Amino acid sequence: MTAVMAALLLLLEAQSLEVPLGLPVTIDYSIPQDLEPLPLETTADFTILDQTGDSVTIVPLSLDTLDLPPMRALSGSVELEFPPPLVTVSRTMPDTSWTVAVFTSPISMGIPPGFPEDYLEQHAFWKKWGSAPSRTWILLLGLALVLIAAGLFFWMKKRRKAADGGEAQSGEKAGISCLDEVLALLDSAAFAQGRWLEYYRDVDALLRSTVAFRFGVSNRALTWNQIARQLGSDRQGRKFIEDSRELTKEITLQRYAGWGGSRDRARRFTDILLSLRKEWHRK
């Protein structure tokens, strides 16, 4: 009974809205909170963008008074209808016309008497500018920037090479030679316990240190195929890749395919690493 009284009050207090044509507008049916509004359907006069409860966002598609349907709402098993607010759609442009004034006759051209050269000379502003300024400074500035960039490039390359050499010789500075580092792998816990993934990770690190020391390729993120492509332009690099091909294949299988192995197999590849470092880990 309370819902029916509220519906009667809303009939008496219907809204009156004026909205523009073709622009979204939100219409509120003002249905009491204890009722459940049912969804509206789009008609030829408007398009529904969104409905949240009794609030509906529409786009008006016709002028004058918009013919909105009533909204149905449920109160338990009772279905009620609530009338829509009065919505008037206005035009987006006013109904006006533009009257062009009549031209005066005759039309004055404003051309001074005499020959054209008599008055065009007054407008030759470029003659006061003189010759264009020299652009030699742009060339000199560009040359200076190129020289500065080249200097910075060679300085950074030299510094990186020195850093790579220092990294490669860090073991020797600590009293461990490049060959002792390899032999130390056979005394490691990874070799004793057969943890081959960890063991070949150390083998890979020592072989990459030799590449960085001898050829200056220090990026540890490169794959062995990428390192081979970088060293392929140098004769010594190609020879190193050929000598180490068997070891790099074993490293790839052990680290990324979990190949597994034995102590005898690991000792054989460690001997290959020892021979490579003996030959290549020197200037």
Side-chain angles (χ1 to χ4, degrees):
M1 191 66 183
T2 305
V4 175
M5 292 295 294
L8 293 175
L9 290 175
L10 290 172
L11 286 172
L12 298 175
E13 299 178 0
Q15 303 180 50
S16 178
L17 300 176
E18 183 175 351
V19 299
L21 176 66
L23 296 180
V25 63
T26 300
I27 306 298
D28 190 3
Y29 276 76
S30 300
I31 296 177
Q33 295 183 357
D34 55 345
L35 300 183
E36 180 183 355
L38 299 178
L40 292 182
E41 294 183 359
T42 297
T43 67
D45 296 330
F46 64 91
T47 296
I48 297 177
L49 298 181
D50 181 60
Q51 178 175 348
T52 303
D54 61 347
S55 295
V56 185
T57 301
I58 65 172
V59 176
L61 301 177
S62 62
L63 292 171
D64 301 329
T65 301
L66 195 61
D67 186 15
L68 290 174
M71 180 175 287
R72 293 177 295 117
L74 296 178
S75 176
S77 60
V78 179
E79 181 176 315
L80 302 175
E81 280 193 357
F82 291 82
L86 181 62
V87 178
T88 304
V89 183
S90 62
R91 299 178 183 272
T92 56
M93 295 184 64
D95 294 334
T96 58
S97 61
W98 180 36
T99 303
V100 181
V102 180
F103 290 105
T104 58
S105 178
I107 300 177
S108 175
M109 301 300 294
I111 300 176
F115 295 101
E117 59 267 18
D118 296 336
Y119 58 89
L120 286 180
E121 183 68 23
Q122 302 177 7
H123 300 282
F125 54 86
W126 56 89
K127 293 184 178 181
K128 298 180 181 179
W129 289 359
S131 60
S134 175
R135 298 184 179 180
T136 308
W137 66 274
I138 299 179
L139 179 62
L140 295 177
L141 179 60
L143 182 60
L145 291 176
V146 171
L147 291 176
I148 292 173
L152 287 174
F153 173 77
F154 287 112
W155 174 76
M156 292 179 65
K157 185 176 181 181
K158 183 177 180 181
R159 184 177 179 183
R160 188 182 300 113
K161 188 174 182 180
D164 294 339
E167 179 184 353
Q169 297 177 0
S170 60
E172 296 183 3
K173 290 181 180 179
I176 303 176
S177 67
C178 63
L179 302 182
D180 291 338
E181 288 180 325
V182 179
L183 296 175
L185 294 176
L186 299 175
D187 297 329
S188 65
F191 179 80
Q193 299 173 11
R195 301 198 302 266
W196 305 123
L197 179 64
E198 179 181 345
Y199 185 81
Y200 282 94
R201 183 184 61 194
D202 297 335
V203 172
D204 183 38
L206 291 181
L207 187 58
R208 287 177 181 269
S209 296
T210 299
V211 173
F213 178 81
R214 184 61 183 267
F215 301 103
V217 180
S218 60
N219 188 353
R220 298 297 176 117
L222 296 178
T223 65
W224 282 109
N225 287 333
Q226 291 172 328
I227 293 174
R229 284 197 294 271
Q230 287 199 12
L231 301 184
S233 59
D234 180 65
R235 183 173 60 85
Q236 292 292 324
R238 290 193 298 271
K239 186 176 184 306
F240 174 82
I241 290 300
E242 186 63 30
D243 293 346
S244 61
R245 189 178 305 279
E246 184 180 5
L247 179 57
T248 56
K249 181 180 179 181
E250 180 69 12
I251 290 173
T252 304
L253 290 174
Q254 293 291 346
R255 294 200 62 194
Y256 304 108
W259 196 253
S262 62
R263 292 185 179 85
D264 291 338
R265 184 184 181 93
R267 187 176 290 106
R268 183 169 70 86
F269 283 104
T270 305
D271 291 339
I272 296 176
L273 175 61
L274 186 66
S275 300
L276 289 171
R277 293 205 115 194
K278 186 182 297 183
E279 180 180 356
W280 295 98
H281 206 92
R282 53 188 175 83
K283 292 296 186 181

